[in-house]
């Protein structure tokens, strides 16, 4: 997820919000077999859970996002949460109707347990002793958070990019707990190209002498490596067209080439700026672990013995799948493959490839089409969930009668 | 709602599973969902139209009808509807076979090329007919097939597809009211609507 977050005037803000913490004292055994305990999860909620517990929406953030999806923190915060355009009163994720939950992923560095957390065994930060995680591990922790919040079933799980992978994992791992799902700009498994970009980014971090095998918390941090990693990621979030539009070959603060290795071009200066800004807020080890989890994600291998159709045979959710025309990180063919597998399983699925020139990041930008799709889909899900509950009540009543 | 869609809707039993190919903004699906409790899915190639239909709370897939229909298992639907789209289809026999693979019944409607007004235009002016039903010029029409009702019936016979029901209507298809034409439909009707079954 890029820094490309816009404030928005189309709906009201959820206002001041507060980051909370949930601690899973007994922790959990992660996919690689190691036990992690305790586990902390940073999360925020907006809106109110209704009495029947039927209006909860779980928002899953992208690679380097956090729990701060909407609203503002008191005093310190000039920018709203990363999806403030989508979450709030009158917005598609309408907080007057829905109870919206967003947590920072396991392995992250924005309040949840990750490589920078203290290892209770040693009293020092885990660093590279932190276990390698999977998207499934993240989802298992989120499930515990929902248990804690008293949410038995989600009206919807929604997220883009790596958040979309979590949406898919949720719907297949816990089919009875996900009434509907909106995976945006995502994939059921990384292409070789996506893994390649991640590997170059990881190598940039590990080549920084300050990385020190992952144990750098007591000294200088591998800022340069992390900045380069971010620059690589950032390129994949944009598109040829959006870069041409934003920068073309325009020069930065000069009228001619410098004939040295300063940032001559605006695009160079922009990437350096984004890279440096990222270093201030993100931990290099978390970047390594999260990109690896994304690379490992393989829904068909994990749940379908290699078959995506078999993997979705477990799912019960109604889906809204969305891709963007200029997304070259997770191109439309990947969304179409999941739609195809859903259809073969007789699942209720809607799909739209949205025309957008801004590349992978399009799901974070104001987009009327996306608003309409999500708003309309969620309203239908509310109606359908209500109908399902009415049917069950009637059936239970009829059974009671017979007895 | 368009008169031909009203006729189509009247043929569909309540509670059915319906696939609407080329569903546009989902007018038919919306009516069927609200009034007949069908479980409907649409396929629409135009992003804006597909987006509007999903925004209305319908289940719609944005994509090409040939590609999308292939993914459904056999008999996934009770009815598969192809309304006012057959004249734009490259390979009608393949598509209709696919429709009858995924559905128990198939409903097809199209503008009748042998409508008397078209015949008159061609006969008297020697020009490709342009009418309310076929509003395009030869160079900008999306329609690549000319389909007289009589030819369509022969086509179904050759394909071995039984026609279970047929209605010819005489009105502009965008109008809400219309009339059923029973006398010489191949000459006097502007649209044909057919219910096809499996062999």
């Amino acid at each position: 997820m890029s820094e490309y977050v816009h404030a928005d005037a189309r709906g009201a803000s959820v206002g001041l919000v507060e980051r909370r913490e949930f601690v899973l004292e007994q922790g959990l055994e992660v996919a690689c077999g190691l036990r992690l305990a305790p586990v902390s999860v940073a999360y925020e909620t907006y809106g109110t859970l209704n009495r029947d517990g039927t209006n909860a929406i779980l928002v899953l953030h992208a690679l380097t996002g956090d729990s701060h999806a909407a609203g503002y923190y008191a005093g310190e915060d000039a920018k709203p949460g990363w999806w403030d355009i989508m979450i709030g009163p009158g917005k598609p994720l309408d907080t007057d109707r829905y109870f919206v939950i967003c947590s920072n992923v396991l392995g992250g560095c924005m309040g949840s347990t990750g490589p920078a957390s203290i290892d209770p065994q040693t009293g020092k930060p885990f660093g590279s002793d932190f276990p390698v995680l999977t998207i499934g591990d993240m989802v298992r922790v989120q499930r515990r958070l929902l248990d804690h919040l008293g949410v038995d079933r989600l009206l919807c799980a929604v997220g883009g990019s790596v958040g979309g992978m979590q949406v898919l994992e949720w719907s297949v791992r816990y089919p009875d707990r996900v009434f509907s799902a909106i995976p945006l700009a995502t994939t059921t498994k990384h292409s070789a190209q996506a893994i390649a970009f991640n590997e170059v980014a990881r190598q940039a971090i590990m080549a920084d002498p300050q990385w020190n095998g992952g144990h750098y918390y007591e000294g200088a941090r591998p800022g340069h490596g992390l900045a380069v990693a971010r620059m690589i990621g950032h390129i994949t979030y944009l598109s040829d067209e959006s870069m041409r539009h934003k920068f073309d070959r325009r020069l930065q603060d000069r009228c001619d080439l410098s004939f040295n290795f300063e940032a001559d071009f605006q695009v160079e200066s922009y990437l350096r700026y984004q890279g440096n800004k990222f270093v201030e807020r993100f931990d290099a080890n978390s970047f390594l672990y999260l990109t690896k989890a994304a690379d490992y994600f393989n829904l068909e291998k994990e749940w379908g013995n290699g078959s995506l159709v078999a993997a979705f045979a477990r799912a019960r959710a109604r889906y809204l799948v969305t891709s963007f025309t200029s997304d070259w990180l997770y191109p439309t063919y990947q969304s179409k493959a999941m739609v195809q597998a859903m259809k073969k399983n007789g699942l209720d699925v809607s799909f739209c490839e949205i025309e957008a020139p801004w590349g992978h990041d399009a799901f974070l930008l104001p987009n009327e089409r996306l608003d309409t799709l999500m708003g309309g889909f969620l309203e239908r899900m509310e109606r359908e969930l209500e109908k399902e509950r009415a049917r069950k009540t009637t059936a239970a009543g009829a059974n009671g009668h017979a007895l | 709602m368009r008169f031909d869609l009203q006729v189509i809707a009247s043929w569909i039993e309540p509670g059915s599973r319906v696939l609407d190919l080329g569903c546009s903004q989902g007018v038919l699906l919306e009516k069927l969902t609200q009034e007949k409790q069908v479980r409907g899915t649409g396929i629409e190639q135009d992003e804006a139209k597909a987006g509007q239909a999903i925004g209305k709370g319908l289940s719609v897939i944005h994509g090409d009808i040939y590609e999308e229909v292939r993914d459904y298992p056999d008999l996934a639907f009770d009815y598969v509807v192809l309304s006012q789209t057959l004249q734009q289809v490259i390979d009608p026999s393949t598509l209709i076979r696919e429709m009858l693979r995924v559905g128990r019944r198939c409903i097809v409607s199209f503008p009748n090329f042998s409508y008397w007004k078209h015949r008159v235009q061609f006969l008297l002016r020697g020009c490709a007919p342009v009418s309310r039903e076929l509003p395009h010029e030869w160079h900008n029409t999306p329609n690549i097939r000319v389909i007289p009702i009589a030819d369509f019936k022969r086509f179904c016979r050759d394909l071995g597809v039984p026609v279970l029901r047929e209605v010819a209507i005489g009105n502009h298809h965008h109008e809400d009211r219309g009339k059923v034409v029973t006398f010489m439909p191949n000459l006097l009707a502007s649209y044909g609507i057919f219910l096809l079954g499996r062999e």
Side-chain angles (χ1 to χ4, degrees), chain B residues 47-101:
Chain B
E47 183 216 330
K49 289 176 182 169
Q52 283 164 10
I54 297 170
K56 278 187 200 169
L58 297 166
S59 172
V60 169
I61 289 172
H62 170 215
D64 171 73
I65 55 178
Y66 284 104
E67 267 180 46
E68 298 301 332
V69 81
R70 271 203 296 266
D71 301 335
Y72 291 107
D74 295 357
L75 287 172
F77 299 95
D78 298 306
Y79 294 92
V80 182
V81 178
L82 184 72
S83 103
Q84 309 288 355
T85 306
L86 187 65
Q87 70 274 15
Q88 296 168 15
V89 162
I90 291 169
D91 185 355
S93 58
T94 303
L95 184 63
I96 286 178
R97 280 206 189 93
E98 271 299 275
M99 289 167 69
L100 284 169
R101 178 185 68 78

Side-chain angles (χ1 to χ4, degrees), chain B residues 14-30:
Chain B
S16 308
R17 296 163 301 162
V18 176
L19 176 65
D20 187 359
L21 301 178
C23 67
S24 194
Q25 289 105 327
V27 176
L28 177 67
L29 280 175
E30 198 179 15

Side-chain angles (χ1 to χ4, degrees), chain A residues 46-358:
Chain A
Y46 324 105
T48 317
L49 186 64
N50 64 17
R51 202 184 314 156
D52 300 328
T54 54
N55 67 337
I57 296 178
L58 180 64
V59 170
L60 289 321
H61 68 72
L63 190 69
T64 59
D66 56 30
S67 61
H68 188 36
Y72 297 83
Y73 294 145
E76 55 188 273
D77 196 15
K79 251 179 26 176
W82 59 268
W83 224 13
D84 200 66
I85 55 167
M86 199 54 90
I87 305 166
K91 294 177 185 176
L93 302 191
D94 187 345
T95 46
D96 288 338
R97 305 163 73 151
Y98 308 122
F99 177 58
V100 179
I101 307 154
C102 183
S103 66
N104 183 224
V105 292
L106 180 67
C109 56
M110 318 292 265
S112 292
T113 297
S117 305
I118 300 295
D119 181 352
Q121 309 270 317
T122 62
K124 290 181 175 174
F126 282 101
S128 51
D129 294 331
F130 196 72
V132 170
L133 299 173
T134 64
I135 298 288
D137 293 329
M138 299 172 188
V139 165
R140 285 166 61 215
V141 170
Q142 289 155 3
R143 201 215 74 179
R144 306 297 274 272
L145 173 64
L146 292 198
D147 292 346
H148 166 72
L149 293 172
V151 175
D152 294 331
R153 182 149 76 149
L154 292 165
L155 174 66
C156 191
V158 47
S161 193
V162 176
M165 295 178 189
Q166 294 163 57
V167 169
L168 294 169
E169 177 76 18
W170 255 102
S171 70
V172 171
R173 183 180 281 268
Y174 303 121
D176 297 333
R177 298 190 67 160
V178 184
F179 187 75
S180 71
I182 310 182
L184 299 165
T186 193
T187 182
T188 58
K189 60 177 181 193
H190 265 182
S191 63
Q193 176 182 269
I195 296 172
F197 279 120
N198 275 350
E199 174 58 8
V200 175
R202 283 189 294 264
Q203 287 297 331
I205 291 171
M206 293 189 283
D208 187 323
Q210 291 176 348
W211 182 60
N212 190 32
H215 298 286
Y216 52 76
Y217 294 101
E218 281 156 4
R221 297 181 172 226
H224 189 66
L226 181 60
V228 173
R230 180 58 167 183
M231 289 161 79
I232 294 158
H234 211 96
I235 295 166
T236 67
Y237 305 150
L238 305 180
S239 66
D240 175 41
E241 188 179 344
S242 67
M243 281 197 165
R244 202 164 59 235
H245 182 83
K246 277 178 91 159
F247 314 110
D248 200 15
R249 291 179 56 86
R250 284 188 291 276
L251 299 177
Q252 178 75 22
D253 301 333
R254 66 189 74 219
C255 45
D256 212 343
L257 305 177
S258 68
F259 290 94
N260 60 38
F261 293 103
E262 287 171 29
D264 286 322
F265 298 99
Q266 280 183 7
V267 65
E268 294 174 292
S269 164
Y270 173 81
L271 286 176
R272 289 184 187 190
Y273 170 74
Q274 291 295 354
N276 292 331
K277 203 168 75 166
F278 185 63
V279 169
E280 291 166 20
R281 72 172 183 93
F282 215 79
D283 177 43
N285 279 334
S286 267
F287 195 92
L288 297 179
Y289 280 87
L290 298 182
T291 54
K292 202 72 188 175
D295 289 349
Y296 277 3
F297 182 63
N298 187 343
L299 199 75
E300 49 258 61
K301 178 168 172 279
E302 180 75 16
W303 297 104
N305 206 11
S307 153
L308 195 55
V309 178
F312 279 111
R314 295 173 50 85
R316 298 282 171 274
R318 295 112 186 101
Y319 289 93
L320 170 62
V321 178
T322 303
S323 67
F324 296 90
T325 45
S326 55
D327 184 349
W328 61 294
L329 189 58
Y330 303 139
T332 293
Y333 77 86
Q334 298 181 346
S335 287
K336 285 203 159 206
M338 65 181 99
V339 170
Q340 186 178 54
M342 291 166 186
K343 284 159 76 182
K344 288 188 171 167
N345 278 295
L347 292 164
D348 182 316
V349 49
S350 290
F351 166 71
C352 190
E353 182 189 27
I354 298 176
E355 175 81 35
W358 312 118

